[in-house]
Amino acid sequence: GPRTKTRSLLPRLPSPRPTPPVSSTPPEILIEILLYTVLSQEHSARLSAAIALSQVCHVWRAIALDVPALWTSIASLHPCAVAVAARRSRTRPIDVRAMRRTAPPNLTLGVEDMSRVRELSLCVHALPLKLASTPMPVLEALELAGTRPDAAPSDDELTMFINRGLFKGVFPRLRALRLDFVALHPFSPLLKAPLTILELRDVPDIWETSRDLVLCLAGLAGLEELTLVRCCPELYVFTPNPVPVRFPHL
């Protein structure tokens, strides 16, 4: 009939697309999904994962930028990457793991942001001079390396020296210290922290005698793991008054 013909002449409108379930996901559930996605990545991929998630749509971006825990991992010393993580992590502790030994750029965190560093893993080349006066009250783990991967075993520049002006503060939470081809002053405040893990590899000239070594270790009664590789003085030198040292947790 006429009604049927009229209907057949009307343009067919596309049927509305079904709404994806994720669009109706409560924000608190979406936050957990974003956190799991980022934190389940390797440390080196977490910042790029957070950036990718923040670019899915305007809703995801607003939520991602409002979750500082997504932005606390720094694996690249590129100034832009460091600035993004420092700004978006707000006041959260920061983990910096950027162990590149081939002429890396200096770490460009500001003084206030340096005080938020919880874990620092760097080549000595990249140490910023601001560490001379910056307190690091939440630093829990420090790893420094001084070798270049292309260096020969006889290379005179295998060992890097930490400037005596660096790390002059107090480290109340430092538990793990790992040094590889890095020369450290024997009276460094780093060796007075409440360490539970001490790992020194190819670290020369810290202690002149075995007595000096023992006296240093005597102040680290909380040690649970101790690794000394090619960094000990002559251990068989006679000591007239040996000092007993006990490590109840080692």
Side-chain angles (χ1 to χ4, degrees):
R3 184 175 297 180
T4 304
K5 186 179 293 186
T6 303
R7 287 181 178 177
S8 63
L9 294 177
L10 293 176
R12 292 187 177 181
L13 299 177
S15 57
R17 295 181 180 180
T19 303
V22 71
S23 299
S24 58
T25 303
E28 58 272 17
I29 301 299
L30 186 55
I31 289 174
E32 294 298 325
I33 293 174
L34 297 182
L35 284 171
Y36 177 80
T37 303
V38 171
L39 299 181
S40 62
Q41 305 292 322
E42 294 289 336
H43 183 273
S44 59
R46 289 180 182 176
L47 183 59
S48 58
I51 293 174
L53 291 173
S54 70
Q55 296 174 346
V56 171
C57 64
H58 71 281
V59 175
W60 284 38
R61 180 173 181 80
I63 291 178
L65 296 182
D66 198 41
V67 182
L70 293 173
W71 309 95
T72 59
S73 301
I74 297 177
S76 170
L77 295 185
H78 191 284
C80 291
V82 173
V84 167
R87 183 175 65 255
R88 297 181 180 178
S89 60
R90 300 181 188 173
T91 59
R92 287 294 189 99
I94 303 172
D95 297 328
V96 181
R97 298 184 210 166
M99 189 65 76
R100 296 204 174 105
R101 308 185 185 188
T102 54
N106 285 342
L107 180 62
T108 54
L109 283 174
V111 173
E112 293 184 2
D113 295 323
M114 284 299 303
S115 66
R116 295 191 287 126
V117 173
R118 175 177 54 194
E119 182 176 340
L120 184 61
S121 179
L122 283 179
C123 175
V124 175
H125 294 86
L127 287 176
L129 293 178
K130 62 174 67 74
L131 284 176
S133 57
T134 303
M136 303 185 74
V138 300
L139 185 66
E140 298 178 0
L142 175 63
E143 179 181 6
L144 299 175
T147 61
R148 303 188 314 275
D150 58 342
S154 60
D155 197 321
D156 292 337
E157 297 184 5
L158 273 175
T159 301
M160 298 300 300
F161 291 84
I162 296 180
N163 188 313
R164 290 191 181 186
L166 298 179
F167 300 109
K168 294 174 64 176
V170 180
F171 308 92
R173 297 189 184 181
L174 184 61
R175 297 293 184 266
L177 176 62
R178 295 180 173 90
L179 303 180
D180 185 3
F181 282 101
V182 174
L184 184 67
H185 192 272
F187 300 106
S188 170
L190 294 174
L191 294 173
K192 298 179 181 180
L195 299 175
T196 58
I197 299 174
L198 178 60
E199 182 176 318
L200 304 177
R201 297 180 181 273
D202 295 284
V203 181
D205 302 328
I206 287 189
W207 302 287
E208 294 183 359
T209 67
S210 56
R211 181 182 178 85
D212 296 333
L213 168 61
V214 171
L215 289 176
C216 177
L217 295 180
L220 302 174
L223 276 181
E224 299 175 5
E225 299 180 23
L226 175 62
T227 303
L228 301 175
V229 179
R230 291 183 296 276
C231 61
C232 295
E234 177 56 60
L235 296 180
Y236 299 102
V237 175
F238 174 72
T239 304
N241 298 310
V243 179
V245 178
R246 295 178 175 83
F247 300 97
H249 307 291
L250 192 65

